Amino acid sequence: MDLKGKFITFEGSEGSGKSTQAALALEYLKQRNSPVMLVREPGGVKISERIRGLLLDVKNTGMGDECETLLYMAARAQMVKEALVPALGAGKIVLCDRFLDSTIAYQGFGNGVDVKFIKELGSFATKSIKPDLTILFDIETQKGLARANARKDRIEQRPLDYHNRVRQGYLTLAREHPQRIKVITVDADKEQIFKQVKTLIDAVL
Ligand SMILES: Nc1ncnc2c1ncn2[C@@H]1O[C@H](COP(=O)(O)OP(=O)(O)OP(=O)(O)O)[C@@H](O)[C@H]1O
Ligand SMILES: [Mg+2]
């Protein structure tokens, strides 16, 4: 596929500052008059937001790993088709709050679903579109969880061990894809962190 736009994803464990930094990046690019769009995963378009509701609902206690993995992929496939492909085709910069790396980290490293299989499913769901840049925010697991919402969703409720595996999963991915995935250690206030984000974004535009 020949897509003219740029695709930038924001990744990291709970409370690492993804949404905060994605919002700052959106403002920055709007001020530069760049054509830009921000979407979140799971979600971003109507059908995918409905799937998000199923995934995060604490009442869905019996959801199996297989169903969870497939629902994340289903939400992603619809977002890719309805939002990502048209926007990149029109030459936009698309900022995405989580993407395929999240499923590898949470369902793969966290839950033990076969990572190779997730990557294959991922190619199908994403039409093999890869981010031009992925910014991975790395934070000490407990610190991140403490920052995240007091009312926890279905995934956030999981034990500390689970979240530690997710964090290590992300760091493994970053070692596998050093060109695409840039790690920012979250050890400063959001303005300081954004300076690093801005440098990374400027480098791919
Ligand atoms: N650099 C920072 N220093 C201190 N607090 C921060 C920083 N960045 C974000 N926060 C605060 O931490 C909380 C979590 O941030 P944010 O929601 O951006 O994280 P997230 O990675 O999107 O979390 P989630 O995984 O729950 O979606 C928010 O209250 C936010 O204001
Ligand atoms: Mg967030």
Side-chain angles (χ1 to χ4, degrees):
M1 233 177 300
D2 186 26
L3 300 166
K4 295 173 288 175
K6 291 287 179 197
F7 182 31
I8 301 173
T9 60
F10 294 73
E11 293 281 4
S13 46
E14 308 299 321
S16 56
K18 300 175 293 296
S19 303
T20 302
Q21 294 300 323
L24 290 171
L26 178 69
E27 276 319 300
Y28 166 63
L29 292 167
K30 276 184 180 169
Q31 273 172 20
R32 280 187 20 162
N33 287 320
S34 302
V36 62
M37 186 177 94
L38 169 63
V39 287
R40 69 169 180 182
E41 273 215 338
V45 297
K46 201 170 167 195
I47 293 171
S48 309
E49 288 288 335
R50 293 193 68 180
I51 299 173
R52 179 190 182 92
L54 290 173
L55 281 164
L56 301 184
D57 189 344
V58 290
K59 293 198 291 295
N60 287 336
T61 48
M63 191 183 291
D65 294 345
E66 298 82 358
C67 176
E68 180 176 301
T69 302
L70 292 169
L71 284 178
Y72 274 108
M73 285 298 181
R76 178 164 303 130
Q78 191 63 27
M79 188 285 287
V80 166
K81 183 185 173 75
E82 257 190 83
L84 187 66
V85 168
L88 290 179
K92 286 189 185 164
I93 303 164
V94 180
L95 308 175
C96 197
D97 189 343
R98 295 193 178 282
F99 195 58
L100 179 57
D101 296 318
S102 282
T103 310
I104 298 171
Y106 282 75
Q107 282 66 47
F109 286 88
N111 280 345
V113 177
D114 183 60
V115 167
K116 193 167 159 276
F117 179 62
I118 295 178
K119 288 179 177 174
E120 284 165 14
L121 270 179
S123 298
F124 175 64
T126 65
K127 303 180 193 285
S128 298
I129 296 170
K130 303 222 167 21
D132 296 289
L133 168 68
T134 295
I135 306 175
L136 171 57
F137 299 96
D138 183 57
I139 190 168
E140 209 238 311
T141 310
Q142 264 163 315
K143 212 170 143 190
L145 285 169
R147 270 189 198 174
N149 290 338
R151 227 179 81 215
K152 299 201 179 305
D153 67 33
R154 206 178 55 85
I155 305 293
E156 286 168 339
Q157 280 183 346
R158 290 178 177 165
L160 185 62
D161 266 14
Y162 171 83
H163 291 286
N164 279 325
R165 286 196 298 277
V166 171
R167 181 186 182 199
Q168 292 311 319
Y170 269 129
L171 293 172
T172 302
L173 283 172
R175 283 191 294 273
E176 281 173 15
H177 306 280
Q179 285 297 101
R180 171 174 69 87
I181 305 180
K182 304 296 181 192
V183 183
I184 293 182
T185 304
V186 182
D187 57 0
D189 63 35
K190 52 190 176 187
E191 286 76 22
Q192 291 291 112
I193 301 292
F194 185 68
K195 279 188 194 158
Q196 299 176 54
V197 169
K198 183 176 167 298
T199 303
L200 292 173
I201 291 177
D202 288 343
V204 294
L205 297 184

